[in-house]
Amino acid sequence: MSQTKIFARLKADHDRHRELLDRIDATHGDSDERRALFETFRVEVTAHAASEEMSLYATMLANPDLRDEAQHSVAEHKEIEDYLTELYEMDFSSTGWLTRFRTMKERYLHHIDEEEEEMFPEAEKGLSEAKKRELVKIFEKEKPKEKAKAADEEPSSEHAKA
């Protein structure tokens, strides 16, 4: 039954993110397709990270045995946010953009693989079925709000440093 809970929901987002990353990587130059896919990815990942932090990570931070892993993942979320801001501000047609994108892609794939292979199994051990249902409800409630917020906010260096 837990497969319908928080971890399956987070992994479904990760699978969508992997697909978007591959589609962006296949684009060329400053195209409408590259810009649209990147914006979709930026909004989706920003909302996912914020909602994940409000649901699963909040619970993990309260557990001394899981706190270090949660703090590590929050730091990686910030790193990805910084990459997204940098990419947003770069010339989409430059070779530097694609190089930087691929660096961010590699870091993000590392992050979600680490979550799925190490963090999620460890966190799941200590969660009751009721808690898993509660966490997925929080995630599902927060994500649409965070998505709207991310879509309305234009990333900037000042915002990333705030």
Side-chain angles (χ1 to χ4, degrees):
M1 191 65 188
S2 67
Q3 282 304 315
T4 61
K5 307 297 183 284
I6 189 68
F7 301 103
R9 179 63 184 84
L10 295 173
K11 181 154 181 347
D13 273 9
H14 292 171
D15 290 344
R16 169 119 169 90
H17 300 164
R18 287 180 180 99
E19 175 196 339
L20 284 166
L21 287 167
D22 287 343
R23 290 177 64 195
I24 295 166
D25 205 349
T27 63
H28 302 284
D30 189 358
S31 64
D32 290 343
E33 180 186 24
R34 177 178 279 179
R35 285 187 174 274
L37 288 170
F38 179 75
E39 181 61 9
T40 298
F41 178 77
R42 184 190 70 77
V43 168
E44 181 65 32
V45 166
T46 301
H48 171 90
S51 303
E52 187 175 50
E53 289 173 15
M54 286 184 256
S55 58
L56 179 62
Y57 288 8
T59 300
M60 290 178 68
L61 287 167
N63 180 334
D65 294 334
L66 300 174
R67 189 172 297 135
D68 287 346
E69 286 185 62
Q71 289 172 335
H72 173 77
S73 286
V74 169
E76 287 183 344
H77 282 180
K78 175 67 172 112
E79 178 188 16
I80 298 303
E81 180 185 329
D82 290 346
Y83 276 116
L84 292 173
T85 298
E86 184 181 349
L87 286 162
Y88 184 86
E89 293 176 345
M90 288 178 76
D91 176 357
F92 276 57
S93 64
S94 73
T95 55
W97 190 92
L98 194 55
T99 300
R100 199 69 178 150
F101 169 79
R102 287 179 175 152
T103 300
M104 184 275 304
K105 177 182 176 181
E106 181 181 306
R107 294 295 303 141
Y108 186 68
L109 291 174
H110 162 80
H111 168 73
I112 60 179
D113 288 346
E114 194 172 67
E115 281 186 333
E116 292 173 5
E117 294 166 16
E118 299 170 26
M119 192 173 84
F120 292 175
E122 195 61 33
E124 187 170 24
K125 288 178 192 173
L127 297 176
S128 67
E129 291 301 311
K131 187 63 172 179
K132 291 173 196 171
R133 284 191 296 273
E134 177 190 337
L135 293 178
V136 82
K137 283 180 187 172
I138 293 167
F139 184 86
E140 294 291 354
K141 179 182 165 211
E142 295 302 327
K143 189 166 178 204
K145 292 187 230 173
E146 291 299 321
K147 222 171 162 176
K149 187 172 139 186
D152 287 344
E153 284 181 356
E154 185 172 296
S156 69
S157 297
E158 287 111 42
H159 175 52
K161 292 174 187 157

